[in-house]
Amino acid sequence: KPSGMWGRVENSTFRRTTGTGDYAILVAYDPLYTVTGNHVEGSYAGGIGLSLIASAGHGVLRGNHVVDVGTGLALFDADSQSTISWNEVHANNVGIAVISGQWMPGPLLERNDVTSAGVGLYGELPGLMPTVPKVRHNNILGVPRVVSVDKGDKTTPAALELSVDGAGNYWYHASFEAGVDSNAASVVDSFPYCVKDGWALGYAPGECAAGPPTAPEITEPSDGSLTKI
């Protein structure tokens, strides 16, 4: 279901139980799209839940629920400067795929919950100056691999830092081991969280237990002395 120029796809439901399928919701060449509040489900291995193609602009893909599809979210040719957030994805093969173009700033992937029976986050970053996604504050699980990034040939690893400004993601265990959780040592989260939604709960990256409570500040009396009531 394409959105059309400067279009919206909101609060729609797509279900399919047979066939290989293609796209449930497809947005192409739309610089100011809004795709929010949609529910997509269907037991078709080759299908894609939500897909953006060359939608370079300031769009929003937010608050969608995608379950039981081949690939949950697929971003082709760089969804430049857009925000992909608050989506819940349960996929059979790939949770979120970023298939990159070149010479453009990448999308922000933030506060998504992703589980996959294959790869949680997959990236194709070809060339010398690929569009690189910015990834932070996501809960991502992939079995057997959480993250896989290559140069588009499925064999040559590419480099990707999975954090932004000192804030990484939660990978369903207490750390992130480059080359184990990812397909190469060059694909790394330098600031992983070890608590799900740790950024919202007040945990710092790498902090696995809550710190001591903050002492209350005494504002009355002004000298900070204790007063019996």
Side-chain angles (χ1 to χ4, degrees):
K1 182 178 178 179
S3 73
M5 188 63 71
W6 297 285
R8 295 174 176 269
V9 184
E10 298 177 320
N11 304 317
S12 298
T13 298
F14 182 95
R15 290 188 175 92
R16 182 167 184 166
T17 56
T18 60
T20 58
D22 194 359
Y23 307 100
I25 297 175
L26 168 65
V27 177
Y29 308 102
D30 188 340
L32 293 172
Y33 66 88
T34 300
V35 181
T36 61
N38 300 288
H39 178 85
V40 177
E41 68 176 279
S43 301
Y44 52 104
I48 296 175
L50 305 179
S51 183
L52 306 176
I53 297 178
S55 297
H58 295 270
V60 174
L61 187 80
R62 178 184 175 94
N64 300 284
H65 182 249
V66 183
V67 59
D68 202 17
V69 298
T71 298
L73 309 180
L75 315 177
F76 293 94
D77 289 334
D79 185 45
S80 165
Q81 300 181 52
S82 294
T83 301
I84 316 299
S85 63
W86 297 99
N87 299 288
E88 185 175 350
V89 178
H90 304 284
N92 295 324
N93 298 322
V94 178
I96 298 178
V98 180
I99 315 299
S100 177
Q102 295 193 51
W103 305 102
M104 299 169 67
L108 173 62
L109 277 59
E110 183 176 48
R111 298 207 175 195
N112 300 286
D113 282 341
V114 180
T115 60
S116 173
V119 176
L121 175 64
Y122 172 70
E124 286 187 10
L125 307 179
L128 296 176
M129 292 290 291
T131 298
V132 177
K134 298 179 287 292
V135 185
R136 70 178 177 197
H137 292 175
N138 301 280
N139 301 306
I140 302 178
L141 172 65
V143 179
R145 177 155 283 156
V146 185
V147 185
S148 183
V149 181
D150 61 52
K151 291 186 177 294
D153 57 7
K154 303 295 191 295
T155 58
T156 307
L160 181 62
E161 171 58 54
L162 298 162
S163 66
V164 179
D165 297 331
N169 307 271
Y170 174 65
W171 306 97
Y172 282 84
H173 49 264
S175 62
F176 185 91
E177 187 174 353
V180 176
D181 293 317
S182 63
N183 63 313
S186 58
V187 181
V188 60
D189 185 344
S190 299
F191 302 93
Y193 290 83
C194 67
V195 177
K196 185 176 182 180
D197 295 322
W199 46 90
L201 298 174
Y203 289 84
E207 182 184 15
C208 297
T214 302
E217 180 183 0
I218 299 175
T219 58
E220 292 290 342
S222 59
D223 63 358
S225 63
L226 298 178
T227 301
K228 184 176 181 180
I229 299 177

